[in-house]
Amino acid sequence: MWMDEIALRLPSTMTQAEIKLCSLLLQEHFGEIVEKIGVHLIRTGSQPLRVIAHDTGTSLDQVKKALCVLVQHNLVSYQVHKRGVVEYEAQCSRVLRMLRYPRYIYTTKTLYSDTGELIVEELLLNGKLTMSAVVKKVADRLTETMEDGKTMDYAEVSNTFVRLADTHFVQRCPSVPTTENSDPGPPPPAPTLVINEKDMYLVPKLSLIGKGKRRRSSDEDAAGEPKAKRPKHTTDNKEPIPDDGIYWQANLDRFHQHFRDQAIVSAVANRMDQTSSEIVRTMLRMSEITTSSSAPFTQPLSSNEIFRSLPVGYNISKQVLDQYLTLLADDPLEFVGKSGDSGGGMYVINLHKALASLATATLESVVQERFGSRCARIFRLVLQKKHIEQKQVEDFAMIPAKEAKDMLYKMLSENFMSLQSIANLIERRQFETKENKRLLEKSQRVEAIIASMQATGAEEAQLQEIEEMITAPERQQLETLKRNVNKLDASEIQVDETIFLLESYIECTMKRQ
Amino acid sequence: MAGNKGRGRAAYTFNIEAVGFSKGEKLPDVVLKPPPLFPDTDYKPVPLKTGEGEEYMLALKQELRETMKRMPYFIETPEERQDIERYSKRYMKVYKEEWIPGSKPKKAKDAGKGTSLTRTADVLKKIEELEKRGDGEKSDEENEEKEGSKEKSKEGDDDDDDDAAEQEEYDEEEQEEENDYINSYFEDGDDFGADSDDNMDEATY
């Protein structure tokens, strides 16, 4: 298929960019040992345990630890091959998703407030957790932030968890199948984990009763420097885990669907008006669970259904809605399509078309910013001309191979450049931090001293004296460093938004072939 | 014999036009330093987006970075041996929860190093003890994997358990700090002062 042709034509440096970025991400999140093993697997593909150890020159023990971490975080999977050999395989694209963690967490905050936010954060930080573990952790964390004497009920956290499961933002992990008639033969070297579609969002019947607990203040001093000695505290590690074996993870695909919907709604709002975008948002919301992530368009929705589903308090008449739908369907962008006349008119959202428009707009914007307006004008004309030639073709799916190929190639190239950019951003940030390591450490020490002095009620003059340990030029240097690191971090997040749009289009297009 | 140079004038030993300079053209100045690492571009980049969401995500990102380093999944590289063991090192140890994949309690099944390594199954065995040894030797106990609970053996047990290894470390520290004497002081059955000429216990006359 010509998809393979594209993959071959792409410079091998694209894979290099991906690998470099994966390496940086793994190293920042899990340290160098995990990075070494992870990158090795990304480069070499599927390998068994001993080969990994041998090829990387790492002890078996270290490899096991690293693999544990990677499997726990859904970055590596395993499979039993013939002759009982278990091989491990890394998911490069999943590693790259680590860039998006802040976005997943913030999105949950906007939808399900702090409780939801922390649930998703804990799931991402730990890879997989049982519901009871999540509830306990989140209740504890929320309690920390509450006023003295107040605590967070497990029940409240559970409710939010259930809502997240119902809307598919969290899902159950594949698990060990229960064998009723166990084969008396030797067990397989590794289980094949399975999950039933219908069980994926099924919340176990738990009666989690309890409240969050505050950490004792002696665990860490005010400046957050951990003490070498950790005081023993009462743990409930002897309690049985009611939902042992049922693990949950964040459902990244569902978040991506949400981001895509957000981008489409935003585009409609920019191009048309608020009301149009609200209608589109309603249609997307109605299609959330019924549309698969790679579908080219949503299920047809009747104008009547849409009217009934408009947000409460949105007062437009049925006729006005119909007018808007007609306008949307007629718009050259073709985000909305009319697929029939029953029920007052059947309408769909053209997801693939929308993604293509978004990706194209991204490309045009990149050309404009990097090469100036004249280049952008030329670029746009070329794209338009092609589009005009294709107007004759009714079915948008019949884009001639050549045009689709070119388009895809451009997207892949731009995607590659974005990945490379992020790798550069991370390296620059690490470099800046390393350059200023001595000064940063000094500043942290001073802060710690001040904090502990404040806690013991020191006088203003004394505090001033300590503060002056950092000279004015040093302060300036720290300010500059902070500003730069913030810029670099923010850039990573925002370049990842570009990557998301381009990859959404690429994925969508690939699946259609 | 080397070719003659024109008196007082250097001649190129290669065709200057091949490099892109026309004959007689003034050559660019001699470059005394490497080119700038980040040269200016014609078009400046678009300013970053700002807003509540962007600010929140930025703070979140930086916070997550720090949090991850403290989680048990972050595996530190074993330190190189230090020539002098610094006193302050003891007080700078970062507390980290131990993460032991597998929620089942340790079973006293024996699996000496030899036998477990020669097992035919190439599996990710449950790591029972992640005790840090100074020279990074392998952990002593490797248990047989529990049949049918491999999945569990990969999942983290996330209760705030102080596991055995941690307890040991902690107790050792506590003991060390309770007395003022260096433990090695009384090693090898030395009788303090027994052979010493300066016997302070006895009165001197």
Side-chain angles (χ1 to χ4, degrees), chain A residues 117 126 128-129 189 230 237, chain B residues 56 73 95 123 155 158 161:
Chain A
E117 178 195 357
N126 290 280
K128 307 174 172 72
L129 287 173
R230 189 182 194 271
N237 52 345
Chain B
Y56 193 86
Y73 312 110
Y95 169 70
V123 238
E155 310 317 334
D158 284 291
D161 291 357

Side-chain angles (χ1 to χ4, degrees), chain B residues 164-193:
Chain B
E166 209 110 65
Q167 281 297 91
E168 250 178 68
E169 213 174 280
Y170 167 67
D171 285 343
E172 202 181 287
E173 288 231 356
E174 165 134 270
Q175 274 165 27
E176 277 184 29
E177 289 174 58
E178 269 180 8
N179 60 50
D180 291 342
Y181 300 109
I182 307 165
N183 282 341
S184 57
Y185 211 91
F186 298 104
E187 248 175 24
D188 302 323
D190 281 347
D191 275 338
F192 175 60

